[in-house]
Amino acid sequence: MEKKAVLRFSGKNVVYQGFGVLKHLYMELYESEAAGILQRSDIEKNALIELILKEAKAYYIGDQPSMIKEMTVADNLYTVRKGRGAKLYHKKEVYSKTEKILGEFYIDVEAGCLVEDLPKTDIRKIELIKAYVQGYPLIVIRDLLMDYSLKDQKEFLRILTLLKDRKQSFIITDYNIEVLMNVCDRIMIFDNGRIGKTYWKEEFPMCRRYYKSPETAMVPEQHDHAGKGRKEIFSVESLSGQFLDNLTFSVYENEIVSLSSLNKNERTELVYYLIGRKKIKNGIITYRGRPYRPKSILNLKKQGINVLRMQILADSYVFHNLNVLENVYIGSIKKMSRAGVISKSFCRFIKYEFQSGFFSKKENWNKTGKELDEITKWHIYLKRLELQNPKLLICEEIFAINDERVDKAVMEFLEHAKKVGTSVLILSSNRRNLSKVSDRELSYAEGVYKPIR
């Protein structure tokens, strides 16, 4: 019997944040199937999820619950919104139906319980039931088991399996291949905006071998001699938290170090420690031989530390009322006049800096921020960082945008940073382009620190 397709893309291209994020996408999904999509980039995930929700009747389960927290579980399940109105049921009938459906799936939650009083794990389980009750043929789940305990993982997967038996289809996009292998019928691995490989369940052992990066175990003595003859500028020792476990590494002067294979939780937690959003309780971080005290982004800049994050809109880095030269210049506070106005001498200095490379075309200098394309905005932001000349640069997902022009700009930026003596720490979920720019590439996987090269 031929399988019923609930979703089909043929040669689909998607532009997201001004870049071609998805390229020639061919993908099909069938009834009662759980398809896993391995994606490391949040930008790719956002683009794919938006495309699916636009093209198909699908229910999305992500970081933020789509349930109304001030309402009860029963009202959330059986208040079906269509157009401007809503189909409301008699309260007694609503609660009776809710108790019945929750009982069918052995979910220990009362129908009259307010959603805001439930833990996130229970809310996500109820979202699965809501999608089924309201007739969505497809459920899209992002980062399936993030923040879940082992017990909650098993419970969520139990409900998902029962829904598959009832002809419910799933698309699960995740950064963790082991999670996908536990629940999916097939896995599609994204590579630079395309589906590079597809593996069916019987091929999953090959899938693991394909995805596994070549790593070698490291003994402590190797780490001690990694920077022999060079001055250590930044050091992390035995850093542990909610997701990190005993993370240890160092960055030396005039060196680019990349830390790859961090999942989203680990990467985010480490960034929060480094920018001062989360207090360091277990472990030691030092900068130039002293305890590392970030406090705030502004305080970091005063210490000669800057942060580059590539998974947000470039538009947020650019002032629409300023031209190209002014936008580049605005980040360098030390060169501002007392009145806060950019003087002609400062603009002449910037023009002198821009006689070569991307900014060599003078006709672009006076374009305002609202006239610029996305690639120009990234060049402006990178040039602004370059003029600030930080001593230490912390980069998060620096190759998150799958665009050759952005890749080239980033590589040129890192090359210049190293020439002027900037030390660079790159935090990434994958290894894309890292071998091209790193002096040392380290992998952090499952609490173990290993050098890749």
Side-chain angles (χ1 to χ4, degrees), residues 314-331:
D315 202 48
S316 62
Y317 297 137
V318 176
F319 296 91
H320 284 194
N321 59 319
L322 301 181
N323 64 31
V324 169
L325 295 179
E326 292 167 340
N327 260 296
V328 172
Y329 174 80
I330 200 72

Side-chain angles (χ1 to χ4, degrees), residues 227-372:
K228 190 174 182 180
R230 288 179 293 173
K231 184 178 178 182
E232 185 179 84
I233 189 171
F234 187 77
S235 173
V236 174
E237 185 177 344
S238 303
L239 181 64
S240 298
Q242 184 180 0
F243 304 105
L244 295 171
D245 182 23
N246 201 32
L247 178 63
T248 301
F249 67 91
S250 296
V251 181
Y252 298 90
E253 279 190 334
N254 197 29
E255 180 188 39
I256 299 177
V257 174
S258 59
L259 195 61
S260 63
S261 302
L262 290 162
N263 66 40
K264 184 178 179 180
N265 288 334
E266 294 161 349
R267 188 189 72 231
T268 302
E269 184 173 41
L270 181 54
V271 169
Y272 281 1
Y273 284 134
L274 297 182
I275 65 176
R277 189 168 173 178
K278 198 169 185 178
K279 190 175 180 180
I280 301 167
K281 294 181 179 179
N282 299 306
I284 300 171
I285 301 182
T286 57
Y287 174 60
R288 291 182 167 181
R290 296 182 179 180
Y292 181 71
R293 296 188 176 93
K295 296 183 181 179
S296 66
I297 294 293
L298 183 60
N299 187 266
L300 286 178
K301 289 184 178 181
K302 290 179 180 178
Q303 299 177 61
I305 304 171
N306 221 318
V307 180
L308 171 58
R309 307 179 78 171
M310 298 282 287
Q311 299 219 83
I312 57 178
L313 287 169
D315 202 48
S316 62
Y317 297 137
V318 176
F319 296 91
H320 284 194
N321 59 319
L322 301 181
N323 64 31
V324 169
L325 295 179
E326 292 167 340
N327 260 296
V328 172
Y329 174 80
I330 200 72
S332 186
I333 299 173
K334 292 181 181 178
K335 297 187 179 70
M336 291 289 285
S337 65
R338 290 183 180 179
V341 178
I342 301 172
S343 69
K344 291 182 179 179
S345 62
F346 294 148
C347 281
R348 282 197 296 270
F349 164 74
I350 294 173
K351 288 177 182 179
Y352 176 78
E353 290 283 304
F354 294 166
Q355 294 305 307
S356 62
F358 182 83
F359 293 96
S360 59
K361 295 182 180 179
K362 295 183 179 180
E363 61 267 24
N364 293 329
W365 289 353
N366 292 318
K367 285 185 178 180
T368 60
K370 61 184 178 182
E371 300 174 278
L372 303 176

